[in-house]
Amino acid sequence: MDSILPVAMGLGFISILALIANPAVGMVIVFIIKPLIDASWEHFLFLGLRVPEVYSGLIPIILLGHMAISKRENSLARMPLKGLWLAYSTYILIFSFIIAYGGDSKSGASVFFRYINGIIGFYFIQAYFREGNRFKWFLWALILGGLFPMSLGLYQAMTGFQWQQAQAEGLVRNIGIWHDGVNMRTYAIQTILGLLLYSALYVKAWNIPLKVMTLSYLALSTVVMVRVYSKAAMLTFAIWVLCWTILRRQFAVLAVLAVAGLLITTYFADNLIDQIGTLFHKELGFVSGKVDGKMTFQGRWFGWVEMMTEWERLPAMSQLFGSGIIATGAHNDFLQMLFHGGVVGLVIYLSLLIVIGVRIGRNLLAKADEMAVAALMVYLMWLIDAVGLVPSAYPAEQWLVWGLIGMSLRMRADAASLQPVKEEVVDREDLPLEASLIKTKVQHRYPLLSDLR
């Protein structure tokens, strides 16, 4: 849609200026307008770079600058797991240079700016959205950013109109005006998560009208997500429902959702069951022994085997430190890293995932609050996507996943550092304002203090 380009360019320019002046305000605008920027994927700016590529490259450059000059509470020194993230990011720079040297500078820069959004995401939410109502701003950005793509998705669901032709196992996918289904499912997922957290943290139980509006928007976003026909998104959503209800002990909500799901399935039995069966027919066939395992994952096994065969032919040094070959089409994040960073890069990446997973698990055992559960949810989504997609190549998913995880870990770190402080000292007004989202009896600015004792 050519008419979107001038709007996207104008709003993109405003967001860049805002990002330079105020990172928090700038990133709020970025999340709201990102779907419009991504919708301009057919248009080139200069040097053969598309609009989303230029935009997603400018953002980390600006935020890396803020990261370098920020002091005190917003400094990189206060970020959880900073040592491991810095090691990972340094190696990203190294193998990006190897790709640039082996191919061309454009490819190396593309890989670098895709991957580096990991530390950007992990850093910026915990640094700039930690205090006061700023986290509410971030959730509003996720919610408002979903309005445009969710509207297009609902329009497609009701009319059957298609801007872009795409299929999954013979089913027509509603991907809106974007390049592929990854965009639409990402917008739907982030909208759903934003609504869940906003409703849990900021909507009072007695505010029935706002609760109804939130749940209605969530339900409509779920419909859009389903009509993308993404296996990973459906699996992620199912796991999210279990995590959000069971870990937070909302068994009544789980029962209501189960009954609602049964009623919806019964009402739309012929259509819905046929669609789900069609989408997962190869996986179901494999379980029943009727389909070869290589046909699952939409036949990605053939591509993975071919890539591994190619990797085995590489010299030992290339296998160890990186092939110099761009592999963003690998449809597997671990295989992509193996090509880009070699065995060393894969070990660093796996170490990062393991350490983060352990830290999330420890926090959940201490207290399964909303942010800890959300961190687990996006972490599991990342692992699911890493099998059949390349989430490290998508800036928006990196900002969402690592941003929420970084925020959750920073909240716990801040709360733990305040544990020795006595209650009467916590009430002093001259102490610095720490992260807070959930109210407690100790003092409203220190929500996790009493929960972790």
Side-chain angles (χ1 to χ4, degrees), residues 77-116:
R78 296 300 304 273
M79 187 182 83
L81 304 178
K82 58 183 176 297
L84 191 53
W85 271 107
L86 286 173
Y88 177 61
S89 301
T90 300
Y91 199 72
I92 288 172
L93 181 62
I94 293 172
F95 68 65
S96 297
F97 271 119
I98 294 175
I99 293 173
Y101 179 78
D104 60 85
S105 57
K106 179 183 174 182
S107 297
S110 175
V111 169
F112 174 78
F113 284 114
R114 286 175 183 270
Y115 274 98
I116 205 63

mmCIF file of all heavy atoms in Angstrom, residues 77-116:
data_model
loop_
_atom_site.group_PDB
_atom_site.id
_atom_site.type_symbol
_atom_site.label_atom_id
_atom_site.label_comp_id
_atom_site.label_asym_id
_atom_site.label_seq_id
_atom_site.Cartn_x
_atom_site.Cartn_y
_atom_site.Cartn_z
ATOM 1 N N ALA A 77 25.983 -0.724 33.750
ATOM 2 C CA ALA A 77 26.505 -1.432 34.927
ATOM 3 C C ALA A 77 25.395 -1.999 35.804
ATOM 4 O O ALA A 77 25.615 -2.975 36.519
ATOM 5 C CB ALA A 77 27.381 -0.489 35.752
ATOM 6 N N ARG A 78 24.197 -1.413 35.744
ATOM 7 C CA ARG A 78 23.084 -1.897 36.558
ATOM 8 C C ARG A 78 22.273 -2.979 35.865
ATOM 9 O O ARG A 78 21.349 -3.544 36.457
ATOM 10 C CB ARG A 78 22.162 -0.725 36.926
ATOM 11 C CG ARG A 78 22.789 0.349 37.804
ATOM 12 C CD ARG A 78 23.267 -0.226 39.137
ATOM 13 N NE ARG A 78 22.198 -0.905 39.842
ATOM 14 C CZ ARG A 78 21.325 -0.323 40.666
ATOM 15 N NH1 ARG A 78 21.426 0.984 40.889
ATOM 16 N NH2 ARG A 78 20.387 -1.013 41.263
ATOM 17 N N MET A 79 22.560 -3.267 34.602
ATOM 18 C CA MET A 79 21.790 -4.262 33.849
ATOM 19 C C MET A 79 22.133 -5.677 34.317
ATOM 20 O O MET A 79 23.320 -6.024 34.438
ATOM 21 C CB MET A 79 22.083 -4.139 32.353
ATOM 22 C CG MET A 79 21.206 -5.024 31.482
ATOM 23 S SD MET A 79 21.595 -4.904 29.713
ATOM 24 C CE MET A 79 22.991 -6.052 29.599
ATOM 25 N N PRO A 80 21.156 -6.520 34.581
ATOM 26 C CA PRO A 80 21.436 -7.913 34.956
ATOM 27 C C PRO A 80 22.169 -8.656 33.837
ATOM 28 O O PRO A 80 21.960 -8.379 32.653
ATOM 29 C CB PRO A 80 20.039 -8.504 35.175
ATOM 30 C CG PRO A 80 19.141 -7.333 35.394
ATOM 31 C CD PRO A 80 19.720 -6.212 34.591
ATOM 32 N N LEU A 81 23.045 -9.562 34.219
ATOM 33 C CA LEU A 81 23.772 -10.430 33.279
ATOM 34 C C LEU A 81 24.557 -9.639 32.232
ATOM 35 O O LEU A 81 24.730 -10.081 31.096
ATOM 36 C CB LEU A 81 22.794 -11.389 32.565
ATOM 37 C CG LEU A 81 21.932 -12.276 33.462
ATOM 38 C CD1 LEU A 81 20.992 -13.130 32.622
ATOM 39 C CD2 LEU A 81 22.788 -13.164 34.344
ATOM 40 N N LYS A 82 25.029 -8.471 32.637
ATOM 41 C CA LYS A 82 25.713 -7.611 31.665
ATOM 42 C C LYS A 82 26.972 -8.255 31.095
ATOM 43 O O LYS A 82 27.294 -8.060 29.921
ATOM 44 C CB LYS A 82 26.054 -6.265 32.299
ATOM 45 C CG LYS A 82 26.912 -6.333 33.544
ATOM 46 C CD LYS A 82 27.129 -4.967 34.151
ATOM 47 C CE LYS A 82 27.908 -5.052 35.452
ATOM 48 N NZ LYS A 82 27.182 -5.822 36.493
ATOM 49 N N GLY A 83 27.716 -9.019 31.916
ATOM 50 C CA GLY A 83 28.945 -9.638 31.436
ATOM 51 C C GLY A 83 28.691 -10.617 30.303
ATOM 52 O O GLY A 83 29.375 -10.593 29.267
ATOM 53 N N LEU A 84 27.677 -11.468 30.480
ATOM 54 C CA LEU A 84 27.351 -12.460 29.458
ATOM 55 C C LEU A 84 26.810 -11.792 28.196
ATOM 56 O O LEU A 84 27.152 -12.177 27.070
ATOM 57 C CB LEU A 84 26.332 -13.458 30.016
ATOM 58 C CG LEU A 84 26.048 -14.717 29.200
ATOM 59 C CD1 LEU A 84 27.341 -15.447 28.869
ATOM 60 C CD2 LEU A 84 25.102 -15.634 29.955
ATOM 61 N N TRP A 85 25.989 -10.767 28.376
ATOM 62 C CA TRP A 85 25.459 -10.054 27.218
ATOM 63 C C TRP A 85 26.558 -9.317 26.461
ATOM 64 O O TRP A 85 26.552 -9.269 25.210
ATOM 65 C CB TRP A 85 24.376 -9.069 27.643
ATOM 66 C CG TRP A 85 23.001 -9.674 27.670
ATOM 67 C CD1 TRP A 85 22.261 -10.010 28.770
ATOM 68 C CD2 TRP A 85 22.207 -10.033 26.531
ATOM 69 N NE1 TRP A 85 21.053 -10.550 28.392
ATOM 70 C CE2 TRP A 85 20.990 -10.577 27.020
ATOM 71 C CE3 TRP A 85 22.393 -9.944 25.162
ATOM 72 C CZ2 TRP A 85 19.977 -11.026 26.177
ATOM 73 C CZ3 TRP A 85 21.379 -10.407 24.312
ATOM 74 C CH2 TRP A 85 20.193 -10.935 24.822
ATOM 75 N N LEU A 86 27.518 -8.744 27.178
ATOM 76 C CA LEU A 86 28.614 -8.050 26.510
ATOM 77 C C LEU A 86 29.498 -9.030 25.744
ATOM 78 O O LEU A 86 29.968 -8.722 24.635
ATOM 79 C CB LEU A 86 29.443 -7.268 27.531
ATOM 80 C CG LEU A 86 28.778 -5.996 28.071
ATOM 81 C CD1 LEU A 86 29.622 -5.393 29.202
ATOM 82 C CD2 LEU A 86 28.589 -4.966 26.953
ATOM 83 N N ALA A 87 29.724 -10.219 26.318
ATOM 84 C CA ALA A 87 30.506 -11.241 25.613
ATOM 85 C C ALA A 87 29.789 -11.680 24.340
ATOM 86 O O ALA A 87 30.411 -11.806 23.268
ATOM 87 C CB ALA A 87 30.743 -12.434 26.538
ATOM 88 N N TYR A 88 28.494 -11.900 24.452
ATOM 89 C CA TYR A 88 27.683 -12.299 23.300
ATOM 90 C C TYR A 88 27.698 -11.213 22.223
ATOM 91 O O TYR A 88 27.898 -11.498 21.032
ATOM 92 C CB TYR A 88 26.261 -12.573 23.779
ATOM 93 C CG TYR A 88 25.260 -12.935 22.708
ATOM 94 C CD1 TYR A 88 25.421 -14.061 21.918
ATOM 95 C CD2 TYR A 88 24.128 -12.153 22.494
ATOM 96 C CE1 TYR A 88 24.496 -14.399 20.943
ATOM 97 C CE2 TYR A 88 23.190 -12.483 21.527
ATOM 98 C CZ TYR A 88 23.376 -13.598 20.752
ATOM 99 O OH TYR A 88 22.464 -13.934 19.787
ATOM 100 N N SER A 89 27.529 -9.961 22.635
ATOM 101 C CA SER A 89 27.482 -8.854 21.685
ATOM 102 C C SER A 89 28.834 -8.612 21.027
ATOM 103 O O SER A 89 28.918 -8.279 19.837
ATOM 104 C CB SER A 89 27.010 -7.575 22.392
ATOM 105 O OG SER A 89 25.722 -7.765 22.958
ATOM 106 N N THR A 90 29.908 -8.795 21.797
ATOM 107 C CA THR A 90 31.251 -8.647 21.227
ATOM 108 C C THR A 90 31.495 -9.692 20.152
ATOM 109 O O THR A 90 32.060 -9.398 19.083
ATOM 110 C CB THR A 90 32.321 -8.778 22.328
ATOM 111 O OG1 THR A 90 32.116 -7.754 23.304
ATOM 112 C CG2 THR A 90 33.722 -8.649 21.743
ATOM 113 N N TYR A 91 31.032 -10.909 20.409
ATOM 114 C CA TYR A 91 31.236 -11.958 19.409
ATOM 115 C C TYR A 91 30.354 -11.728 18.183
ATOM 116 O O TYR A 91 30.732 -12.109 17.068
ATOM 117 C CB TYR A 91 30.967 -13.337 20.009
ATOM 118 C CG TYR A 91 31.599 -14.437 19.187
ATOM 119 C CD1 TYR A 91 32.978 -14.608 19.179
ATOM 120 C CD2 TYR A 91 30.831 -15.258 18.376
ATOM 121 C CE1 TYR A 91 33.570 -15.581 18.395
ATOM 122 C CE2 TYR A 91 31.409 -16.240 17.593
ATOM 123 C CZ TYR A 91 32.788 -16.396 17.601
ATOM 124 O OH TYR A 91 33.364 -17.350 16.817
ATOM 125 N N ILE A 92 29.179 -11.108 18.392
ATOM 126 C CA ILE A 92 28.348 -10.729 17.248
ATOM 127 C C ILE A 92 29.131 -9.796 16.326
ATOM 128 O O ILE A 92 29.115 -9.951 15.098
ATOM 129 C CB ILE A 92 27.052 -10.042 17.731
ATOM 130 C CG1 ILE A 92 26.113 -11.055 18.371
ATOM 131 C CG2 ILE A 92 26.343 -9.330 16.565
ATOM 132 C CD1 ILE A 92 24.905 -10.432 19.048
ATOM 133 N N LEU A 93 29.827 -8.832 16.919
ATOM 134 C CA LEU A 93 30.637 -7.908 16.131
ATOM 135 C C LEU A 93 31.728 -8.653 15.375
ATOM 136 O O LEU A 93 31.996 -8.372 14.196
ATOM 137 C CB LEU A 93 31.256 -6.855 17.051
ATOM 138 C CG LEU A 93 32.117 -5.783 16.385
ATOM 139 C CD1 LEU A 93 31.302 -4.951 15.404
ATOM 140 C CD2 LEU A 93 32.748 -4.875 17.446
ATOM 141 N N ILE A 94 32.347 -9.641 16.035
ATOM 142 C CA ILE A 94 33.436 -10.398 15.408
ATOM 143 C C ILE A 94 32.934 -11.188 14.203
ATOM 144 O O ILE A 94 33.501 -11.103 13.102
ATOM 145 C CB ILE A 94 34.099 -11.332 16.436
ATOM 146 C CG1 ILE A 94 34.826 -10.514 17.500
ATOM 147 C CG2 ILE A 94 35.053 -12.303 15.749
ATOM 148 C CD1 ILE A 94 35.357 -11.340 18.658
ATOM 149 N N PHE A 95 31.867 -11.974 14.381
ATOM 150 C CA PHE A 95 31.452 -12.789 13.234
ATOM 151 C C PHE A 95 30.761 -11.943 12.153
ATOM 152 O O PHE A 95 30.705 -12.356 10.993
ATOM 153 C CB PHE A 95 30.621 -14.004 13.650
ATOM 154 C CG PHE A 95 29.252 -13.757 14.216
ATOM 155 C CD1 PHE A 95 28.234 -13.196 13.469
ATOM 156 C CD2 PHE A 95 28.952 -14.184 15.515
ATOM 157 C CE1 PHE A 95 26.959 -13.028 13.986
ATOM 158 C CE2 PHE A 95 27.684 -14.011 16.042
ATOM 159 C CZ PHE A 95 26.685 -13.430 15.274
ATOM 160 N N SER A 96 30.256 -10.776 12.517
ATOM 161 C CA SER A 96 29.719 -9.876 11.491
ATOM 162 C C SER A 96 30.847 -9.352 10.602
ATOM 163 O O SER A 96 30.680 -9.218 9.382
ATOM 164 C CB SER A 96 28.975 -8.704 12.136
ATOM 165 O OG SER A 96 27.854 -9.150 12.871
ATOM 166 N N PHE A 97 32.016 -9.073 11.210
ATOM 167 C CA PHE A 97 33.180 -8.673 10.419
ATOM 168 C C PHE A 97 33.637 -9.817 9.515
ATOM 169 O O PHE A 97 34.062 -9.587 8.373
ATOM 170 C CB PHE A 97 34.322 -8.253 11.346
ATOM 171 C CG PHE A 97 34.301 -6.800 11.712
ATOM 172 C CD1 PHE A 97 34.182 -6.405 13.035
ATOM 173 C CD2 PHE A 97 34.398 -5.818 10.741
ATOM 174 C CE1 PHE A 97 34.156 -5.058 13.383
ATOM 175 C CE2 PHE A 97 34.373 -4.467 11.065
ATOM 176 C CZ PHE A 97 34.256 -4.087 12.391
ATOM 177 N N ILE A 98 33.560 -11.047 10.023
ATOM 178 C CA ILE A 98 33.944 -12.206 9.207
ATOM 179 C C ILE A 98 33.019 -12.319 7.998
ATOM 180 O O ILE A 98 33.464 -12.583 6.871
ATOM 181 C CB ILE A 98 33.895 -13.496 10.050
ATOM 182 C CG1 ILE A 98 34.950 -13.457 11.150
ATOM 183 C CG2 ILE A 98 34.092 -14.726 9.161
ATOM 184 C CD1 ILE A 98 34.898 -14.636 12.102
ATOM 185 N N ILE A 99 31.700 -12.103 8.215
ATOM 186 C CA ILE A 99 30.744 -12.155 7.102
ATOM 187 C C ILE A 99 31.015 -11.030 6.115
ATOM 188 O O ILE A 99 30.973 -11.228 4.893
ATOM 189 C CB ILE A 99 29.311 -12.083 7.645
ATOM 190 C CG1 ILE A 99 28.981 -13.355 8.436
ATOM 191 C CG2 ILE A 99 28.301 -11.899 6.511
ATOM 192 C CD1 ILE A 99 27.644 -13.307 9.152
ATOM 193 N N ALA A 100 31.299 -9.834 6.643
ATOM 194 C CA ALA A 100 31.597 -8.698 5.763
ATOM 195 C C ALA A 100 32.854 -8.958 4.952
ATOM 196 O O ALA A 100 32.923 -8.611 3.759
ATOM 197 C CB ALA A 100 31.754 -7.432 6.600
ATOM 198 N N TYR A 101 33.855 -9.564 5.571
ATOM 199 C CA TYR A 101 35.111 -9.846 4.877
ATOM 200 C C TYR A 101 34.928 -10.935 3.830
ATOM 201 O O TYR A 101 35.469 -10.852 2.720
ATOM 202 C CB TYR A 101 36.167 -10.286 5.894
ATOM 203 C CG TYR A 101 37.498 -10.636 5.275
ATOM 204 C CD1 TYR A 101 38.389 -9.636 4.879
ATOM 205 C CD2 TYR A 101 37.866 -11.971 5.076
ATOM 206 C CE1 TYR A 101 39.610 -9.962 4.302
ATOM 207 C CE2 TYR A 101 39.077 -12.306 4.508
ATOM 208 C CZ TYR A 101 39.952 -11.301 4.124
ATOM 209 O OH TYR A 101 41.154 -11.629 3.552
ATOM 210 N N GLY A 102 34.127 -11.966 4.172
ATOM 211 C CA GLY A 102 33.936 -13.083 3.249
ATOM 212 C C GLY A 102 32.936 -12.777 2.145
ATOM 213 O O GLY A 102 32.993 -13.400 1.081
ATOM 214 N N GLY A 103 32.019 -11.857 2.369
ATOM 215 C CA GLY A 103 31.015 -11.536 1.367
ATOM 216 C C GLY A 103 31.066 -10.077 0.987
ATOM 217 O O GLY A 103 31.823 -9.668 0.119
ATOM 218 N N ASP A 104 30.236 -9.279 1.663
ATOM 219 C CA ASP A 104 30.247 -7.843 1.422
ATOM 220 C C ASP A 104 29.834 -7.131 2.699
ATOM 221 O O ASP A 104 29.265 -7.725 3.616
ATOM 222 C CB ASP A 104 29.304 -7.472 0.263
ATOM 223 C CG ASP A 104 27.870 -7.877 0.542
ATOM 224 O OD1 ASP A 104 27.148 -7.106 1.192
ATOM 225 O OD2 ASP A 104 27.475 -8.990 0.116
ATOM 226 N N SER A 105 30.167 -5.827 2.757
ATOM 227 C CA SER A 105 29.911 -5.060 3.975
ATOM 228 C C SER A 105 28.429 -4.959 4.291
ATOM 229 O O SER A 105 28.030 -4.913 5.466
ATOM 230 C CB SER A 105 30.511 -3.654 3.831
ATOM 231 O OG SER A 105 29.985 -3.004 2.687
ATOM 232 N N LYS A 106 27.576 -4.935 3.264
ATOM 233 C CA LYS A 106 26.135 -4.846 3.492
ATOM 234 C C LYS A 106 25.616 -6.064 4.238
ATOM 235 O O LYS A 106 24.817 -5.946 5.178
ATOM 236 C CB LYS A 106 25.407 -4.692 2.151
ATOM 237 C CG LYS A 106 23.900 -4.612 2.292
ATOM 238 C CD LYS A 106 23.225 -4.526 0.928
ATOM 239 C CE LYS A 106 21.704 -4.588 1.074
ATOM 240 N NZ LYS A 106 21.019 -4.544 -0.243
ATOM 241 N N SER A 107 26.077 -7.247 3.854
ATOM 242 C CA SER A 107 25.644 -8.469 4.527
ATOM 243 C C SER A 107 26.116 -8.497 5.971
ATOM 244 O O SER A 107 25.370 -8.869 6.887
ATOM 245 C CB SER A 107 26.177 -9.705 3.786
ATOM 246 O OG SER A 107 25.657 -9.773 2.479
ATOM 247 N N GLY A 108 27.374 -8.102 6.191
ATOM 248 C CA GLY A 108 27.900 -8.077 7.551
ATOM 249 C C GLY A 108 27.149 -7.104 8.431
ATOM 250 O O GLY A 108 26.831 -7.413 9.590
ATOM 251 N N ALA A 109 26.841 -5.918 7.879
ATOM 252 C CA ALA A 109 26.096 -4.921 8.649
ATOM 253 C C ALA A 109 24.686 -5.401 8.947
ATOM 254 O O ALA A 109 24.156 -5.182 10.042
ATOM 255 C CB ALA A 109 26.058 -3.602 7.877
ATOM 256 N N SER A 110 24.066 -6.066 7.972
ATOM 257 C CA SER A 110 22.716 -6.583 8.165
ATOM 258 C C SER A 110 22.667 -7.587 9.310
ATOM 259 O O SER A 110 21.788 -7.527 10.183
ATOM 260 C CB SER A 110 22.206 -7.237 6.876
ATOM 261 O OG SER A 110 20.951 -7.850 7.076
ATOM 262 N N VAL A 111 23.623 -8.512 9.318
ATOM 263 C CA VAL A 111 23.673 -9.515 10.392
ATOM 264 C C VAL A 111 23.929 -8.847 11.737
ATOM 265 O O VAL A 111 23.283 -9.168 12.743
ATOM 266 C CB VAL A 111 24.757 -10.569 10.085
ATOM 267 C CG1 VAL A 111 25.004 -11.462 11.299
ATOM 268 C CG2 VAL A 111 24.350 -11.415 8.883
ATOM 269 N N PHE A 112 24.853 -7.903 11.776
ATOM 270 C CA PHE A 112 25.175 -7.232 13.044
ATOM 271 C C PHE A 112 23.958 -6.513 13.618
ATOM 272 O O PHE A 112 23.631 -6.666 14.794
ATOM 273 C CB PHE A 112 26.310 -6.228 12.830
ATOM 274 C CG PHE A 112 26.600 -5.402 14.052
ATOM 275 C CD1 PHE A 112 27.325 -5.935 15.110
ATOM 276 C CD2 PHE A 112 26.126 -4.099 14.153
ATOM 277 C CE1 PHE A 112 27.589 -5.180 16.246
ATOM 278 C CE2 PHE A 112 26.387 -3.330 15.278
ATOM 279 C CZ PHE A 112 27.116 -3.879 16.331
ATOM 280 N N PHE A 113 23.273 -5.721 12.785
ATOM 281 C CA PHE A 113 22.156 -4.928 13.289
ATOM 282 C C PHE A 113 20.941 -5.779 13.615
ATOM 283 O O PHE A 113 20.082 -5.373 14.392
ATOM 284 C CB PHE A 113 21.797 -3.821 12.301
ATOM 285 C CG PHE A 113 22.765 -2.672 12.328
ATOM 286 C CD1 PHE A 113 23.557 -2.390 11.226
ATOM 287 C CD2 PHE A 113 22.905 -1.896 13.465
ATOM 288 C CE1 PHE A 113 24.458 -1.339 11.257
ATOM 289 C CE2 PHE A 113 23.809 -0.842 13.504
ATOM 290 C CZ PHE A 113 24.585 -0.563 12.400
ATOM 291 N N ARG A 114 20.851 -6.965 13.029
ATOM 292 C CA ARG A 114 19.782 -7.885 13.431
ATOM 293 C C ARG A 114 20.065 -8.453 14.819
ATOM 294 O O ARG A 114 19.219 -8.405 15.717
ATOM 295 C CB ARG A 114 19.652 -9.022 12.408
ATOM 296 C CG ARG A 114 19.013 -8.629 11.080
ATOM 297 C CD ARG A 114 19.035 -9.787 10.114
ATOM 298 N NE ARG A 114 18.501 -9.444 8.810
ATOM 299 C CZ ARG A 114 17.224 -9.560 8.455
ATOM 300 N NH1 ARG A 114 16.345 -10.004 9.342
ATOM 301 N NH2 ARG A 114 16.821 -9.245 7.243
ATOM 302 N N TYR A 115 21.269 -8.971 15.004
ATOM 303 C CA TYR A 115 21.605 -9.636 16.260
ATOM 304 C C TYR A 115 21.736 -8.658 17.427
ATOM 305 O O TYR A 115 21.350 -8.970 18.549
ATOM 306 C CB TYR A 115 22.919 -10.405 16.111
ATOM 307 C CG TYR A 115 22.791 -11.798 15.567
ATOM 308 C CD1 TYR A 115 23.019 -12.066 14.217
ATOM 309 C CD2 TYR A 115 22.472 -12.868 16.395
ATOM 310 C CE1 TYR A 115 22.924 -13.351 13.710
ATOM 311 C CE2 TYR A 115 22.372 -14.159 15.906
ATOM 312 C CZ TYR A 115 22.596 -14.396 14.554
ATOM 313 O OH TYR A 115 22.500 -15.658 14.064
ATOM 314 N N ILE A 116 22.299 -7.489 17.168
ATOM 315 C CA ILE A 116 22.622 -6.574 18.272
ATOM 316 C C ILE A 116 21.367 -6.059 18.960
ATOM 317 O O ILE A 116 21.432 -5.533 20.089
ATOM 318 C CB ILE A 116 23.490 -5.400 17.767
ATOM 319 C CG1 ILE A 116 24.338 -4.819 18.911
ATOM 320 C CG2 ILE A 116 22.633 -4.319 17.140
ATOM 321 C CD1 ILE A 116 25.331 -5.780 19.488
#
